[in-house]
Amino acid sequence: MSYIKRAIEETIQQLSETFSILLITGPRQVGKTTLLQKLASEENKEVKRKYVTLDDPDARYLAKHDPSLFLQRYAPPILIDEIQYATELLPYIKMSVDSSKRKGDFWITGSQAFHLMKNVSESLAGRVAIIYLLGLSDAEIYQEPSLPFQVNEKHLMNCLSIKASRNLNEIYERIFRGSMPELYANRSIDWETYYRSYVNTYLQRDIRDLTQVADEMQFYNFMTIVAAHTAKPVIYEELAKEAGVSSPTAKKWLSILVSSHLVALVQPYHNNALKRVVKMPLLHFLDTGLAAYLLKWGNPEALEKGAMAGAFFESYVFSEIYKSYLNVGKEPPLFYYRDRDQKEVDLLLYQNGTIYPIEIKKSASPGKKAIKNFSVLKTMNIQKFNQLNSLKVNVGTGCVICLANDLLPIDENNWCVPVWLI
């Protein structure tokens, strides 16, 4: 199986030279261990980084019951896989790095963040660089340069020169196949069999072992309902009713999916000038292939022609922009807008005191109608709402990400951006 170069490699190497501990977390099977093993193999030969996985029952037992002896047996520099199975190690790792002061001593991975992140923040504060790795981005699949998405002419024109165009069928083949590295490194793997195994492993090892969810099948049903709500605002009462659980349970279970990095919640943007904004977050399933499997879509053609084609397209675009920031070690500066009058802007990119509105349309020629809701943001520029300069927010260039064949201006302030440019 061939290795697919990851966009985050340079970020990892830089952080490993800055911090004593490097933690990579993210969903199962997105390539965390493969990535770190590849980087370890390219390190200076004098480093000789060891590798141990806590999937091994013997190593796990030692780590949990005698952490000090474990670190004598597996002295740094070391790569420890699946750290969530023995968080008892964390205080001893802290003592080790405080003593040695060496950078990059510990590389650790964790598939789930339910309890792990709390323990990490308590035990390793100031000593650990935390990196979130998701499935493959388009830049990684097609081996193109990976850049954080921006809405400005210079960035878009640059992308136009380094990225290859793709048609409707290619885009929906990508959406349907999803983002799991193994599905691209080994094309002979059956898509349905792969995702069936993935879901079973997730339910049995993470949900049952780490969260003590009483009814796995009910949680599976909830996952399916969440997949059907991708690209929609979160209404817990609605999710709870469809899943046959209480609203507090629906809220808890959705937080598990968010902690698993299977789902992202986009917070609404609001300030004093935007009085009628709703406070509900927007839900996006991050792996469109997994969502397609849960909802029983059988092939890309059926998905593209189906009732959820637009929602899947929107979640795919969001996940690509989201990953473009994670892959350079940055927090994605993404929000959305929705008000009580049902006016909505799919994404808002907030940078340096400026909001850049983004609409996402499954259309080859969206036209000016697609940007009509951008006008609601103009109230943020009215001075009476921004008497303090520190609170002033500008509205920058906007764009419509769509299925167009070329990068074209809609008007003097907005662009029509082909989806393959992101």
Side-chain angles (χ1 to χ4, degrees), residues 5 54 83 121 128 138 154 180 193 223 235 284 293 297 305 308 313 321 356 389 418:
K5 183 175 175 60
L54 298 183
I83 191 71
S121 62
V128 60
D138 278 2
K154 182 179 179 181
M180 292 300 176
T193 302
M223 284 178 65
I235 303 175
H284 282 293
Y293 167 78
W297 292 102
K305 295 174 182 176
M308 291 196 67
F313 183 73
I321 296 175
Y356 301 91
N389 286 334

Side-chain angles (χ1 to χ4, degrees), residues 288-307:
T288 51
L290 177 57
Y293 167 78
L294 290 169
L295 296 172
K296 302 297 185 287
W297 292 102
N299 56 65
E301 294 77 17
L303 177 61
E304 187 274 318
K305 295 174 182 176

Side-chain angles (χ1 to χ4, degrees), residues 66-357:
D66 198 339
S68 180
L69 184 59
F70 178 92
L71 290 183
Q72 290 181 45
R73 167 65 181 83
Y74 301 104
I78 187 170
L79 165 54
I80 304 174
D81 204 11
E82 305 291 9
I83 191 71
Q84 76 273 7
Y85 290 125
T87 54
E88 293 85 353
L89 276 174
L90 296 177
Y92 292 84
I93 291 175
K94 173 187 174 182
M95 289 188 289
S96 175
V97 300
D98 284 351
S99 174
S100 73
K101 306 295 185 183
R102 288 191 302 265
K103 306 302 181 186
D105 255 6
F106 289 88
W107 291 359
I108 57 181
T109 76
S111 293
Q112 302 301 339
F114 312 125
H115 310 299
L116 174 62
M117 297 313 296
K118 179 182 178 182
N119 289 320
V120 165
S121 62
E122 291 176 352
S123 303
L124 305 178
R127 301 164 181 85
V128 60
I130 301 173
I131 291 176
Y132 298 97
L133 183 69
L134 300 182
L136 296 175
S137 65
D138 278 2
E140 293 167 327
I141 292 169
Y142 304 111
Q143 290 297 287
E144 298 171 338
S146 179
L147 303 168
F149 181 75
Q150 298 177 55
V151 188
N152 64 64
E153 183 178 353
K154 182 179 179 181
H155 172 84
L156 295 173
M157 293 300 291
N158 181 46
C159 289
L160 197 62
S161 67
I162 61 177
K163 293 179 180 285
S165 64
R166 290 182 290 279
N167 61 35
L168 174 68
N169 292 336
E170 290 172 317
I171 290 164
Y172 270 87
E173 166 62 31
R174 161 74 179 88
I175 291 172
F176 178 79
R177 196 164 188 82
S179 303
M180 292 300 176
E182 197 168 352
L183 291 172
Y184 293 89
N186 184 357
R187 292 278 182 170
S188 64
I189 294 176
D190 180 72
W191 177 89
E192 185 174 354
T193 302
Y194 176 86
Y195 275 113
R196 184 188 306 117
S197 173
Y198 184 92
V199 170
N200 287 339
T201 302
Y202 176 70
L203 291 173
Q204 293 170 10
R205 297 194 60 184
D206 299 327
I207 298 305
R208 184 175 64 192
D209 295 348
L210 295 178
T211 65
Q212 289 81 49
V213 170
D215 190 333
E216 292 172 30
M217 290 312 299
Q218 196 170 32
F219 188 85
Y220 172 81
N221 182 49
F222 180 78
M223 284 178 65
T224 303
I225 290 165
V226 170
H229 283 256
T230 193
K232 292 183 180 179
V234 175
I235 303 175
Y236 290 107
E237 294 78 9
E238 189 175 314
L239 293 174
K241 182 178 179 181
E242 292 182 35
V245 298
S246 66
S247 290
T249 298
K251 192 168 186 177
K252 175 187 174 184
W253 285 2
L254 186 60
S255 73
I256 290 173
L257 293 176
V258 172
S259 296
S260 304
H261 306 288
L262 296 181
V263 166
L265 298 183
V266 189
Q267 297 302 321
Y269 181 84
H270 59 88
N271 67 12
N272 291 335
L274 301 172
K275 298 291 188 180
R276 299 180 59 79
V277 175
V278 300
K279 301 297 176 68
M280 298 177 293
L282 188 69
L283 181 159
H284 282 293
F285 223 89
L286 289 170
D287 189 317
T288 51
L290 177 57
Y293 167 78
L294 290 169
L295 296 172
K296 302 297 185 287
W297 292 102
N299 56 65
E301 294 77 17
L303 177 61
E304 187 274 318
K305 295 174 182 176
M308 291 196 67
F312 269 75
F313 183 73
E314 188 174 330
S315 288
Y316 159 68
V317 170
F318 168 81
S319 68
E320 286 299 303
I321 296 175
Y322 189 74
K323 284 183 278 193
S324 77
Y325 282 89
L326 291 182
N327 285 340
V328 292
K330 293 183 178 180
E331 182 72 20
L334 299 173
F335 300 87
Y336 89 109
Y337 175 89
R338 184 183 176 93
D339 62 26
R340 297 170 196 167
D341 300 321
Q342 304 301 306
K343 292 180 179 178
E344 184 173 337
V345 180
D346 293 330
L347 275 181
L348 300 174
L349 185 62
Y350 180 67
Q351 292 180 314
N352 302 319
T354 301
I355 285 285
Y356 301 91

